[in-house]
Amino acid sequence: MEGSKLIINRDIITEAAAMAFADPNLQIPDRYDRSGEVPAGEVVVADDDESYDLPVVDMARLLDPEHREAEVAWLCSACRSWGFFQLINHGVDEAVIQKMKDNTVHFFELPLEDKNAVAVCPDGGIEGFGHHFRTSADKLDWAENLIVETQPIERRKLEFWPSNPPTFRSLLHSCLILSPFYSSSSSSLGPCNHPEKVIGIAPHSDGFGLTLLLQVNDTPGLQISKDGRWHPVRPQTSAFVINVGEILEVLTNGHYKSVFHRVVVDTERGRDTIVVFQDACINGVVKPLLELGEARYHAIDRLEYSKGHATEIFSRGERFVDILKK
């Protein structure tokens, strides 16, 4: 990392990689073969005595004076105990949600040449179409990924905003008017007949304030680490799956938790998702709110925080906020 530039390792998708994603019967290329590091751990299954459904928060109840107090308490409990929840009755128009899903499917179904029209830059940029992040061991997740930065406006690089599908840019602009967010990421994971050898998305915690995920299809894959086990997530139709990022953990002085999560591949079906990230500050300071008592985390400049998070997650697979703890 040099100066103020944040270096993120992302690779362009090659024809060989695209062929491997498209045909689950092909031999797995070496850079995706992670047999020695596929995360283990007990996975909670549907017939366990305990329920593994995420807490569901109802936005309508949050806005209703009669139910607000109880629903806020439920929201706080979800953020403390899970770091994740599902949000229903959020008010986002169903037609807009469907257009977002259609655009995502359309983009990832394009020929590789068309998708690479907005390919990630090889000089360490984060934006564009390409692989998910490359590990320090030069290994790759089993995923295609499109990332665009949206805030602040002066940092937008429209050359990375796809013009195909034709409605992609206008729809993204419309969504930003409704709710400004820092960046957007869409992912597509192809099926794979050797799930024991590949990683869909490696275990990680998110570095922003909040993450909002919309599942495009019903293929499972997202799992959350809780109490030493992996808990599969079953998203409700049109619900947003929301999780606490590390910045929000710091802001709340550790009351809310940013937890590890991962995505596993399916042997028969692909999985598409849309994710938007809400940041807590731009060029400010990341530190606990004063009204929450004695600070449990050291204050840090926002850019330095970003560098530290990237280093810990992508190089070591660790949470940066643990280093900030006093």
Side-chain angles (χ1 to χ4, degrees):
M1 301 174 189
E2 298 181 4
S4 62
K5 188 173 182 180
L6 175 63
I7 303 298
I8 299 291
N9 295 318
R10 296 189 64 212
D11 288 9
I12 293 174
I13 305 261
T14 64
E15 191 66 44
M19 290 176 63
F21 288 147
D23 188 348
N25 295 309
L26 289 179
Q27 181 177 352
I28 297 172
D30 287 343
R31 294 190 72 191
Y32 303 95
D33 190 339
R34 303 170 72 172
S35 302
E37 59 175 303
V38 173
E42 182 183 359
V43 177
V44 177
V45 295
D47 57 358
D48 276 2
D49 291 337
E50 64 179 290
S51 170
Y52 62 88
D53 284 334
L54 280 185
V56 176
V57 175
D58 190 336
M59 178 66 84
R61 289 175 59 88
L62 287 173
L63 299 176
D64 184 347
E66 183 179 350
H67 300 101
R68 181 179 302 147
E69 183 176 354
E71 200 68 11
V72 167
W74 176 237
L75 168 61
C76 293
S77 173
C79 292
R80 287 191 179 101
S81 60
W82 283 86
F84 269 80
F85 60 91
Q86 297 198 56
L87 185 68
I88 61 172
N89 295 325
H90 42 66
V92 180
D93 190 282
E94 287 289 340
V96 172
I97 288 178
Q98 190 58 51
K99 288 178 182 177
M100 293 170 63
K101 292 181 177 181
D102 292 344
N103 271 345
T104 301
V105 172
H106 185 167
F107 176 80
F108 284 115
E109 287 182 344
L110 290 171
L112 179 62
E113 181 181 1
D114 293 348
K115 290 184 285 190
N116 272 338
V118 292
V120 64
C121 288
D123 64 353
I126 190 173
E127 293 185 81
F129 169 73
H131 286 290
H132 203 242
F133 305 105
R134 178 177 8 117
T135 71
S136 57
D138 205 36
K139 293 291 187 176
L140 296 167
D141 291 345
W142 190 261
E144 297 180 342
N145 196 237
L146 172 67
I147 299 176
V148 296
E149 287 189 288
T150 57
Q151 299 292 343
I153 294 176
E154 60 269 20
R155 286 177 56 179
R156 292 180 186 174
K157 299 176 183 177
L158 296 183
E159 63 267 29
F160 293 114
W161 293 31
S163 56
N164 189 8
T167 57
F168 182 94
R169 294 188 177 188
S170 59
L171 182 61
L172 187 53
H173 277 296
S174 298
C175 292
L176 285 167
I177 292 173
L178 293 172
S179 176
F181 46 85
Y182 178 75
S183 63
S184 173
S185 172
S186 300
S187 296
S188 181
L189 280 68
C192 181
N193 285 339
H194 301 282
E196 75 284 357
K197 294 183 178 181
V198 301
I199 297 177
I201 301 292
H204 66 284
S205 59
D206 293 341
F208 294 96
L210 281 176
T211 302
L212 289 78
L213 178 144
L214 176 65
Q215 185 127 348
V216 174
N217 52 27
D218 60 357
T219 305
L222 176 62
Q223 297 180 350
I224 298 167
S225 178
K226 184 177 186 293
D227 301 327
R229 300 201 289 173
W230 291 104
H231 295 250
V233 175
R234 297 180 291 195
Q236 294 193 14
T237 303
S238 296
F240 291 129
V241 177
I242 300 180
N243 65 281
V244 173
E246 290 189 17
I247 284 183
L248 187 55
E249 177 173 330
V250 173
L251 290 175
T252 63
N253 210 18
H255 291 290
Y256 293 173
K257 301 298 183 183
S258 179
V259 302
F260 269 74
H261 47 287
R262 69 181 184 182
V263 180
V264 297
V265 299
D266 191 89
T267 57
E268 298 179 353
R269 297 178 294 167
R271 178 179 183 269
D272 295 339
T273 55
I274 303 165
V275 178
V276 297
F277 301 98
Q278 296 281 358
D279 202 11
C281 59
I282 298 292
N283 295 326
V285 176
V286 177
K287 61 181 180 180
L289 297 171
L290 293 176
E291 56 267 35
L292 295 180
E294 183 179 354
R296 302 173 185 170
Y297 302 82
H298 293 284
I300 184 172
D301 175 81
R302 178 64 179 84
L303 180 58
E304 292 305 311
Y305 165 85
S306 296
K307 292 178 179 180
H309 173 78
T311 299
E312 289 302 308
I313 284 294
F314 303 128
S315 297
R316 304 184 182 96
E318 303 290 342
R319 295 184 347 134
F320 182 57
V321 290
D322 292 331
I323 295 177
L324 297 179
K325 288 180 178 178
K326 291 184 175 182

